[in-house]
Amino acid sequence: MTQHRPAAPTPVRPPRTVQPAPRALRPAPPAALPLPVPAAQPTTLIAEVVLPGRDLTAPALPGWTLRLWPVARLGDATLEARPDTPQASAQDLRAALAELGIGVLGPLRPRGRT
């Protein structure tokens, strides 16, 4: 039969302290530069519309890029409008479409929302 001997105790070492780097070796703090502000992305708007005639082509509207689909639940077509500038609003689009004789059914919604 073998006898079990306890292992010798391991010596306890003091914790290692990390000295800060000398001031000459420390990296310089970053310069406080203003962060660039991302440009506002124009919101693409979508709505069902009633057209004044049977023409299903998108009208030319300065300041807007328009696309038209002959698919709609209530109106004649579905209109997608993307402003050329971020300052253009849904009210601006509604007024410009009314001048062309195009009626907007319901609100102009941002694309992707139901």
Side-chain angles (χ1 to χ4, degrees), residues 17-97:
T17 57
V18 177
Q19 298 293 329
R23 189 163 189 82
L25 298 178
R26 290 183 194 163
L33 297 175
L35 295 175
V37 177
Q41 294 295 324
T43 302
T44 301
L45 301 170
I46 194 160
E48 289 191 25
V49 294
V50 177
L51 302 171
R54 302 302 283 164
D55 187 18
L56 292 178
T57 59
L61 192 59
W64 294 87
T65 303
L66 302 178
R67 292 181 9 177
L68 200 64
W69 289 277
V71 178
R73 291 182 185 160
L74 301 174
D76 297 328
T78 300
L79 176 78
E80 178 187 79
R82 181 173 176 85
D84 295 338
T85 62
Q87 293 82 16
S89 68
Q91 291 82 9
D92 298 334
L93 176 62
R94 186 179 292 274
L97 291 173

Side-chain angles (χ1 to χ4, degrees), residues 10-14:
T10 50
V12 176
R13 294 182 187 161

